[in-house]
Amino acid sequence: MKEDIDTLKDDWLTDNVISFWQEFLEREYLKQYKNANIVLLRPSMSFMLMQTRDPLTLKEALPDFTRTTHIFLPINDCRNPSVAEGGSHWSLLLVSVVDGVAFHYDSLQPSNRQEANHATYQLSQLLGRRLQYIDLLDAPQQHNSSDCGVFVCMLMRHLLLKKLLMAHAKEKISMSLGDKAVDAATGRKDILRIIEGFRKEGERRRSRSASPYPKGSRSPPRVD
């Protein structure tokens, strides 16, 4: 939607933009790793998990985590389930199910600490195992009030592509991002460029599939 794309210029990113980014990462990268059992949980599902009184009631609505090794959850500070696109801050929770640890990356510390801690507890109830919560205090920090969603998208890509998918089996990797810099302006341009690329590709496909014959005609044109 135009409203979602407009937020990429200089505003707070919507659920739809973050969901698009997750789908892009899944289709362009994650699907190439057949043995990877990593889930990018959509913002709406993360919010639903945080709001429910009994996480076990969501088992049918959420992905099957039986074989999942890692889960990415966008965390929103909205506490009113009746407000669409509510909240004022995004952060990222990366749960290593295999290690029983939840890493929280907040670009405006400690804004979402309570929400991320609660999400960790809710997920532990759903998974049926204890999760240790860790705030990554060296997470890159934003310098305004609107770049949090961009930070979530960029850190998600970095953690997925440069950390998890690059690691060998049973290899221990550091989840610290102390040496990671985030250029939010470039990140916004990257997402816009990718969206524009998909839009143009969609137009090309529609153009190729369009009938060469006049509208409403089932016959090819005849000549005198």
Side-chain angles (χ1 to χ4, degrees):
M1 293 176 63
K2 183 179 183 301
E3 294 83 357
D4 299 308
I5 295 176
D6 285 345
T7 66
L8 280 164
K9 296 174 182 177
D10 58 3
D11 207 349
W12 191 81
L13 298 194
T14 62
D15 292 32
N16 288 338
V17 173
I18 294 177
S19 294
F20 163 81
W21 185 250
Q22 291 177 308
E23 186 172 348
F24 165 72
L25 293 177
E26 289 169 345
R27 292 189 176 188
E28 297 298 316
Y29 300 103
L30 198 50
K31 73 174 184 180
Q32 300 176 25
Y33 295 81
K34 303 299 183 182
N35 295 325
N37 293 301
I38 299 172
V39 171
L40 309 185
L41 202 64
R42 300 298 189 261
S44 58
M45 293 182 176
S46 297
F47 185 67
M48 184 168 58
L49 175 65
M50 293 170 65
Q51 295 300 316
T52 186
R53 292 184 178 181
D54 182 5
L56 293 177
T57 62
L58 298 178
K59 272 204 167 185
E60 297 300 320
L62 295 174
D64 181 2
F65 296 123
T66 304
R67 300 179 58 199
T68 300
T69 60
H70 299 83
I71 307 170
F72 285 86
L73 300 90
I75 302 298
N76 188 303
D77 64 353
C78 178
R79 299 183 182 181
N80 186 349
S82 64
V83 178
E85 300 289 349
S88 60
H89 184 55
W90 290 108
S91 61
L92 179 64
L93 190 68
L94 170 55
V95 177
S96 175
V97 181
V98 291
D99 297 305
V101 182
F103 300 97
H104 184 221
Y105 302 87
D106 193 339
S107 59
L108 202 62
Q109 296 170 357
S111 299
N112 276 5
R113 182 173 296 169
Q114 183 177 344
E115 287 78 9
N117 214 329
H118 178 61
T120 300
Y121 173 78
Q122 294 287 84
L123 190 59
S124 72
Q125 297 299 301
L126 183 66
L127 297 175
R129 63 170 300 175
R130 181 179 177 276
L131 295 173
Q132 179 187 4
Y133 172 80
I134 297 178
D135 253 317
L136 271 296
L137 300 179
D138 62 354
Q141 297 295 287
Q142 64 192 81
H143 301 293
N144 58 23
S145 60
S146 60
D147 281 340
C148 52
V150 184
F151 271 68
V152 166
C153 291
M154 296 301 105
L155 294 183
M156 190 185 305
R157 178 173 64 179
H158 179 79
L159 289 165
L160 179 65
L161 303 187
K162 303 300 183 182
K163 296 277 189 178
L164 299 184
L165 294 180
M166 290 295 101
H168 299 292
K170 298 183 179 180
E171 177 186 354
K172 289 291 185 179
I173 57 175
S174 170
M175 302 311 293
S176 168
L177 291 180
D179 59 347
K180 171 64 178 174
V182 174
D183 184 338
T186 299
R188 289 179 183 274
K189 291 177 183 177
D190 283 348
I191 301 174
L192 275 170
R193 175 179 52 79
I194 292 167
I195 291 175
E196 181 64 12
F198 279 114
R199 186 189 67 79
K200 289 182 177 179
E201 177 61 24
E203 289 181 349
R204 284 194 293 269
R205 289 182 179 180
R206 286 192 293 273
S207 176
R208 287 196 297 266
S209 63
S211 172
Y213 307 135
K215 187 175 181 181
S217 172
R218 293 179 177 272
S219 303
R222 307 302 295 269
V223 295
D224 291 331

